[in-house]
């Protein structure tokens, strides 16, 4: 009778996943995701434009004209004349 119980136990255990392997896989996945997140956070902390980009007159003029309704022909305040 013990032979049948041992056979049944080994058959069932063969189809079950190992908890140690499952935990290791989950921890590896979490470490990988955290490393990627840290890399993304480090990249986003860098400035996207070079220093002095908006100080350039042509770039600053475009930025100013986009915000001014009268110059951008947008609805809002227009010139009196």
């Amino acid at each position: 009778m013990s032979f049948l119980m041992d056979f049944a136990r080994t058959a069932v255990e063969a189809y079950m996943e190992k908890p140690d392997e499952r935990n290791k896989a989950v921890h590896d996945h979490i470490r990988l995701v955290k490393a990627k997140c840290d890399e993304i956070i480090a990249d986003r902390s860098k400035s996207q434009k070079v220093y002095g980009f908006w100080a350039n007159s042509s770039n600053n003029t475009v930025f100013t004209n986009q915000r001014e309704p009268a110059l951008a022909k947008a609805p809002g305040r227009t010139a009196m004349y």
Side-chain angles (χ1 to χ4, degrees), residues 15-80:
Y15 289 108
M16 294 177 64
E17 62 182 353
K18 307 287 188 275
D20 294 335
E21 293 176 6
R22 182 185 63 230
N23 290 339
K24 184 181 180 303
V26 168
H27 287 298
D28 290 343
H29 174 71
I30 290 173
R31 283 189 203 106
L32 180 66
V33 168
K34 182 169 180 353
K36 286 182 181 179
C37 289
D38 291 340
E39 183 179 339
I40 290 171
I41 289 170
D43 286 344
R44 287 186 181 175
S45 66
K46 297 175 186 173
S47 62
Q48 298 296 319
K49 302 286 185 189
V50 296
Y51 180 76
F53 179 82
W54 293 111
N56 188 353
S57 61
S58 62
N59 295 329
N60 200 5
T61 305
V62 170
F63 178 68
T64 305
N65 289 348
Q66 288 174 350
R67 291 180 56 222
E68 182 64 40
L71 298 174
K73 296 185 174 48
R77 189 180 77 238
T78 57
M80 296 293 290

